[in-house]
Amino acid sequence: MNKFLLAVHVLAAIVAVGPVTVAASMFPPSARKALAEPGDAQALSTVRVLHRICRMYATVGVAVPVFGFATAKNMGVLGDTWLIVSIALTALAAVVLAALVLPRQTALMEGMKERIEEGLGAGGEGAANAGASRVGPRDTARLAMFTGLFNLLWATVTILMIVRPGSTTGA
């Protein structure tokens, strides 16, 4: 049973978390391109698809800790330090994704939509009077920072899962 649970846990991580990390990393530069070229329907479409991938696979990603807990319970390692740290980092990654990455992606997309509706470019006429809802390259840079933090957290969890420092179950 351990091998089955571990296999499902690893597959869920690859299938769910992998696409989120890649799509979230691709979103800021794609958003910068869409902001610079507001008439480019392909650039806007790319941003929408990347955001949809992030949202959908984040939901599917819930399977990763579910099967992870089941695997850890069967292996008797729920109290191991490496696992507790991994759980905490996974929870932090989920918070970063849900509270910082996805909402900022949504805000950027809504800002791009407003620009298109108003016929404004990255620095087009009327941009100074457009109000606080205006989005720009600084917003994409901030999003890239939060996305990098999310990816770093997942990379750390992956390393902990492989190395398992102090584990008595073998690595």
Side-chain angles (χ1 to χ4, degrees):
M1 188 63 161
N2 284 350
K3 289 182 181 182
F4 171 75
L5 289 172
L6 183 58
V8 173
H9 171 64
V10 170
L11 285 171
I14 291 167
V15 170
V17 179
V20 173
T21 58
V22 172
S25 296
M26 292 173 65
F27 189 96
S30 297
R32 275 191 291 279
K33 181 179 181 201
L35 286 168
E37 303 168 17
D40 186 352
Q42 179 68 33
L44 185 58
S45 178
T46 299
V47 170
R48 286 182 180 143
V49 167
L50 291 171
H51 181 58
R52 191 173 320 132
I53 290 169
C54 290
R55 279 192 345 254
M56 295 305 296
Y57 281 93
T59 304
V60 173
V62 172
V64 176
V66 168
F67 283 99
F69 274 112
T71 303
K73 183 176 184 254
N74 274 2
M75 293 175 69
V77 295
L78 277 175
D80 286 9
T81 304
W82 65 270
L83 185 65
I84 294 168
V85 171
S86 294
I87 291 168
L89 293 175
T90 298
L92 184 57
V95 167
V96 168
L97 182 64
L100 300 173
V101 174
L102 294 176
R104 281 176 170 75
Q105 286 182 351
T106 301
L108 276 163
M109 288 190 342
E110 289 171 359
M112 285 182 240
K113 183 180 174 188
E114 287 176 17
R115 279 187 172 194
I116 290 169
E117 289 172 355
E118 296 171 7
L120 298 175
E125 267 183 54
N129 300 324
S133 68
R134 209 42 63 206
V135 294
R138 291 184 79 175
D139 298 301
T140 63
R142 194 170 294 117
L143 174 60
M145 176 187 68
F146 291 128
T147 300
L149 176 60
F150 171 75
N151 291 341
L152 181 62
L153 288 166
W154 272 116
T156 305
V157 169
T158 302
I159 291 167
L160 284 171
M161 292 290 161
I162 294 168
V163 176
R164 301 186 308 185
S167 173
T168 59
T169 60

mmCIF file of all heavy atoms in Angstrom, residues 22-48:
data_model
loop_
_atom_site.group_PDB
_atom_site.id
_atom_site.type_symbol
_atom_site.label_atom_id
_atom_site.label_comp_id
_atom_site.label_asym_id
_atom_site.label_seq_id
_atom_site.Cartn_x
_atom_site.Cartn_y
_atom_site.Cartn_z
ATOM 1 N N VAL A 22 5.117 26.142 -13.849
ATOM 2 C CA VAL A 22 5.520 26.598 -15.184
ATOM 3 C C VAL A 22 4.599 27.724 -15.672
ATOM 4 O O VAL A 22 5.068 28.778 -16.115
ATOM 5 C CB VAL A 22 5.535 25.428 -16.193
ATOM 6 C CG1 VAL A 22 5.754 25.930 -17.611
ATOM 7 C CG2 VAL A 22 6.622 24.430 -15.810
ATOM 8 N N ALA A 23 3.292 27.519 -15.595
ATOM 9 C CA ALA A 23 2.343 28.528 -16.077
ATOM 10 C C ALA A 23 2.460 29.825 -15.266
ATOM 11 O O ALA A 23 2.412 30.918 -15.838
ATOM 12 C CB ALA A 23 0.913 27.990 -16.015
ATOM 13 N N ALA A 24 2.620 29.697 -13.952
ATOM 14 C CA ALA A 24 2.759 30.897 -13.123
ATOM 15 C C ALA A 24 4.038 31.655 -13.465
ATOM 16 O O ALA A 24 4.053 32.889 -13.460
ATOM 17 C CB ALA A 24 2.744 30.514 -11.641
ATOM 18 N N SER A 25 5.100 30.930 -13.803
ATOM 19 C CA SER A 25 6.355 31.578 -14.196
ATOM 20 C C SER A 25 6.253 32.254 -15.562
ATOM 21 O O SER A 25 6.904 33.268 -15.806
ATOM 22 C CB SER A 25 7.488 30.554 -14.223
ATOM 23 O OG SER A 25 7.726 30.050 -12.943
ATOM 24 N N MET A 26 5.459 31.683 -16.434
ATOM 25 C CA MET A 26 5.285 32.260 -17.767
ATOM 26 C C MET A 26 4.332 33.450 -17.770
ATOM 27 O O MET A 26 4.366 34.278 -18.686
ATOM 28 C CB MET A 26 4.756 31.193 -18.723
ATOM 29 C CG MET A 26 5.748 30.085 -19.026
ATOM 30 S SD MET A 26 5.019 28.747 -19.995
ATOM 31 C CE MET A 26 4.644 29.599 -21.530
ATOM 32 N N PHE A 27 3.488 33.555 -16.750
ATOM 33 C CA PHE A 27 2.463 34.593 -16.733
ATOM 34 C C PHE A 27 3.044 36.015 -16.719
ATOM 35 O O PHE A 27 2.621 36.847 -17.540
ATOM 36 C CB PHE A 27 1.514 34.388 -15.540
ATOM 37 C CG PHE A 27 0.319 35.288 -15.568
ATOM 38 C CD1 PHE A 27 -0.885 34.850 -16.088
ATOM 39 C CD2 PHE A 27 0.385 36.593 -15.082
ATOM 40 C CE1 PHE A 27 -1.991 35.682 -16.129
ATOM 41 C CE2 PHE A 27 -0.705 37.435 -15.111
ATOM 42 C CZ PHE A 27 -1.904 36.977 -15.628
ATOM 43 N N PRO A 28 3.985 36.367 -15.804
ATOM 44 C CA PRO A 28 4.454 37.767 -15.782
ATOM 45 C C PRO A 28 5.046 38.263 -17.106
ATOM 46 O O PRO A 28 4.657 39.342 -17.564
ATOM 47 C CB PRO A 28 5.482 37.774 -14.641
ATOM 48 C CG PRO A 28 5.039 36.672 -13.741
ATOM 49 C CD PRO A 28 4.523 35.601 -14.671
ATOM 50 N N PRO A 29 5.943 37.505 -17.767
ATOM 51 C CA PRO A 29 6.434 38.033 -19.049
ATOM 52 C C PRO A 29 5.340 38.097 -20.125
ATOM 53 O O PRO A 29 5.337 39.018 -20.950
ATOM 54 C CB PRO A 29 7.560 37.070 -19.455
ATOM 55 C CG PRO A 29 7.478 35.913 -18.548
ATOM 56 C CD PRO A 29 6.678 36.306 -17.362
ATOM 57 N N SER A 30 4.425 37.150 -20.083
ATOM 58 C CA SER A 30 3.312 37.190 -21.045
ATOM 59 C C SER A 30 2.413 38.390 -20.773
ATOM 60 O O SER A 30 1.918 39.031 -21.711
ATOM 61 C CB SER A 30 2.500 35.897 -20.970
ATOM 62 O OG SER A 30 3.291 34.798 -21.333
ATOM 63 N N ALA A 31 2.204 38.692 -19.503
ATOM 64 C CA ALA A 31 1.395 39.859 -19.139
ATOM 65 C C ALA A 31 2.099 41.152 -19.550
ATOM 66 O O ALA A 31 1.450 42.082 -20.039
ATOM 67 C CB ALA A 31 1.113 39.857 -17.638
ATOM 68 N N ARG A 32 3.429 41.208 -19.372
ATOM 69 C CA ARG A 32 4.171 42.395 -19.814
ATOM 70 C C ARG A 32 4.002 42.605 -21.313
ATOM 71 O O ARG A 32 3.794 43.731 -21.771
ATOM 72 C CB ARG A 32 5.650 42.263 -19.463
ATOM 73 C CG ARG A 32 5.991 42.703 -18.069
ATOM 74 C CD ARG A 32 7.485 42.814 -17.833
ATOM 75 N NE ARG A 32 8.168 41.523 -17.823
ATOM 76 C CZ ARG A 32 8.210 40.704 -16.786
ATOM 77 N NH1 ARG A 32 7.613 41.032 -15.659
ATOM 78 N NH2 ARG A 32 8.862 39.564 -16.864
ATOM 79 N N LYS A 33 4.062 41.519 -22.073
ATOM 80 C CA LYS A 33 3.889 41.619 -23.531
ATOM 81 C C LYS A 33 2.481 42.097 -23.856
ATOM 82 O O LYS A 33 2.290 42.966 -24.708
ATOM 83 C CB LYS A 33 4.157 40.271 -24.186
ATOM 84 C CG LYS A 33 4.015 40.333 -25.694
ATOM 85 C CD LYS A 33 4.303 39.012 -26.358
ATOM 86 C CE LYS A 33 4.151 39.210 -27.862
ATOM 87 N NZ LYS A 33 3.917 38.002 -28.573
ATOM 88 N N ALA A 34 1.481 41.538 -23.180
ATOM 89 C CA ALA A 34 0.089 41.938 -23.439
ATOM 90 C C ALA A 34 -0.147 43.395 -23.053
ATOM 91 O O ALA A 34 -0.912 44.097 -23.720
ATOM 92 C CB ALA A 34 -0.867 41.019 -22.683
ATOM 93 N N LEU A 35 0.506 43.858 -22.003
ATOM 94 C CA LEU A 35 0.373 45.262 -21.597
ATOM 95 C C LEU A 35 1.055 46.198 -22.597
ATOM 96 O O LEU A 35 0.552 47.282 -22.878
ATOM 97 C CB LEU A 35 0.974 45.481 -20.203
ATOM 98 C CG LEU A 35 0.159 44.952 -19.031
ATOM 99 C CD1 LEU A 35 0.990 44.957 -17.763
ATOM 100 C CD2 LEU A 35 -1.113 45.766 -18.849
ATOM 101 N N ALA A 36 2.186 45.761 -23.128
ATOM 102 C CA ALA A 36 2.924 46.589 -24.087
ATOM 103 C C ALA A 36 2.232 46.653 -25.441
ATOM 104 O O ALA A 36 2.378 47.628 -26.168
ATOM 105 C CB ALA A 36 4.346 46.057 -24.245
ATOM 106 N N GLU A 37 1.490 45.598 -25.761
ATOM 107 C CA GLU A 37 0.797 45.516 -27.047
ATOM 108 C C GLU A 37 -0.683 45.215 -26.807
ATOM 109 O O GLU A 37 -1.141 44.091 -27.050
ATOM 110 C CB GLU A 37 1.433 44.426 -27.906
ATOM 111 C CG GLU A 37 2.915 44.617 -28.146
ATOM 112 C CD GLU A 37 3.583 43.391 -28.745
ATOM 113 O OE1 GLU A 37 2.871 42.510 -29.274
ATOM 114 O OE2 GLU A 37 4.810 43.317 -28.668
ATOM 115 N N PRO A 38 -1.450 46.211 -26.347
ATOM 116 C CA PRO A 38 -2.841 45.949 -25.968
ATOM 117 C C PRO A 38 -3.741 45.486 -27.110
ATOM 118 O O PRO A 38 -4.771 44.882 -26.866
ATOM 119 C CB PRO A 38 -3.327 47.278 -25.395
ATOM 120 C CG PRO A 38 -2.363 48.296 -25.863
ATOM 121 C CD PRO A 38 -1.072 47.598 -26.139
ATOM 122 N N GLY A 39 -3.338 45.690 -28.333
ATOM 123 C CA GLY A 39 -4.152 45.245 -29.457
ATOM 124 C C GLY A 39 -3.847 43.812 -29.885
ATOM 125 O O GLY A 39 -4.502 43.274 -30.767
ATOM 126 N N ASP A 40 -2.869 43.192 -29.245
ATOM 127 C CA ASP A 40 -2.449 41.841 -29.608
ATOM 128 C C ASP A 40 -3.360 40.812 -28.935
ATOM 129 O O ASP A 40 -3.203 40.494 -27.759
ATOM 130 C CB ASP A 40 -0.989 41.631 -29.194
ATOM 131 C CG ASP A 40 -0.418 40.302 -29.661
ATOM 132 O OD1 ASP A 40 -1.177 39.456 -30.172
ATOM 133 O OD2 ASP A 40 0.808 40.119 -29.508
ATOM 134 N N ALA A 41 -4.308 40.295 -29.705
ATOM 135 C CA ALA A 41 -5.272 39.335 -29.163
ATOM 136 C C ALA A 41 -4.587 38.048 -28.724
ATOM 137 O O ALA A 41 -4.998 37.421 -27.746
ATOM 138 C CB ALA A 41 -6.356 39.038 -30.194
ATOM 139 N N GLN A 42 -3.539 37.643 -29.437
ATOM 140 C CA GLN A 42 -2.809 36.416 -29.084
ATOM 141 C C GLN A 42 -2.144 36.553 -27.714
ATOM 142 O O GLN A 42 -2.170 35.621 -26.913
ATOM 143 C CB GLN A 42 -1.755 36.108 -30.155
ATOM 144 C CG GLN A 42 -0.932 34.867 -29.878
ATOM 145 C CD GLN A 42 -1.753 33.590 -29.962
ATOM 146 O OE1 GLN A 42 -2.683 33.502 -30.751
ATOM 147 N NE2 GLN A 42 -1.427 32.616 -29.149
ATOM 148 N N ALA A 43 -1.553 37.717 -27.423
ATOM 149 C CA ALA A 43 -0.893 37.935 -26.138
ATOM 150 C C ALA A 43 -1.906 37.869 -24.995
ATOM 151 O O ALA A 43 -1.646 37.244 -23.956
ATOM 152 C CB ALA A 43 -0.172 39.275 -26.130
ATOM 153 N N LEU A 44 -3.056 38.478 -25.195
ATOM 154 C CA LEU A 44 -4.101 38.447 -24.169
ATOM 155 C C LEU A 44 -4.637 37.028 -23.992
ATOM 156 O O LEU A 44 -4.872 36.577 -22.868
ATOM 157 C CB LEU A 44 -5.234 39.408 -24.520
ATOM 158 C CG LEU A 44 -6.326 39.560 -23.459
ATOM 159 C CD1 LEU A 44 -5.741 40.037 -22.132
ATOM 160 C CD2 LEU A 44 -7.398 40.516 -23.947
ATOM 161 N N SER A 45 -4.801 36.324 -25.082
ATOM 162 C CA SER A 45 -5.271 34.939 -25.026
ATOM 163 C C SER A 45 -4.283 34.060 -24.266
ATOM 164 O O SER A 45 -4.680 33.210 -23.461
ATOM 165 C CB SER A 45 -5.469 34.409 -26.446
ATOM 166 O OG SER A 45 -5.869 33.071 -26.404
ATOM 167 N N THR A 46 -3.006 34.275 -24.476
ATOM 168 C CA THR A 46 -1.969 33.518 -23.757
ATOM 169 C C THR A 46 -2.071 33.761 -22.262
ATOM 170 O O THR A 46 -2.008 32.811 -21.468
ATOM 171 C CB THR A 46 -0.567 33.916 -24.271
ATOM 172 O OG1 THR A 46 -0.481 33.608 -25.657
ATOM 173 C CG2 THR A 46 0.529 33.199 -23.508
ATOM 174 N N VAL A 47 -2.250 34.998 -21.872
ATOM 175 C CA VAL A 47 -2.373 35.341 -20.452
ATOM 176 C C VAL A 47 -3.595 34.651 -19.850
ATOM 177 O O VAL A 47 -3.522 34.092 -18.743
ATOM 178 C CB VAL A 47 -2.440 36.881 -20.283
ATOM 179 C CG1 VAL A 47 -2.820 37.263 -18.863
ATOM 180 C CG2 VAL A 47 -1.104 37.505 -20.651
ATOM 181 N N ARG A 48 -4.694 34.671 -20.557
ATOM 182 C CA ARG A 48 -5.914 34.018 -20.058
ATOM 183 C C ARG A 48 -5.709 32.514 -19.876
ATOM 184 O O ARG A 48 -6.131 31.935 -18.881
ATOM 185 C CB ARG A 48 -7.082 34.260 -21.017
ATOM 186 C CG ARG A 48 -7.620 35.658 -20.946
ATOM 187 C CD ARG A 48 -8.801 35.812 -21.882
ATOM 188 N NE ARG A 48 -9.321 37.152 -21.815
ATOM 189 C CZ ARG A 48 -9.784 37.822 -22.853
ATOM 190 N NH1 ARG A 48 -9.827 37.263 -24.044
ATOM 191 N NH2 ARG A 48 -10.243 39.044 -22.704
#
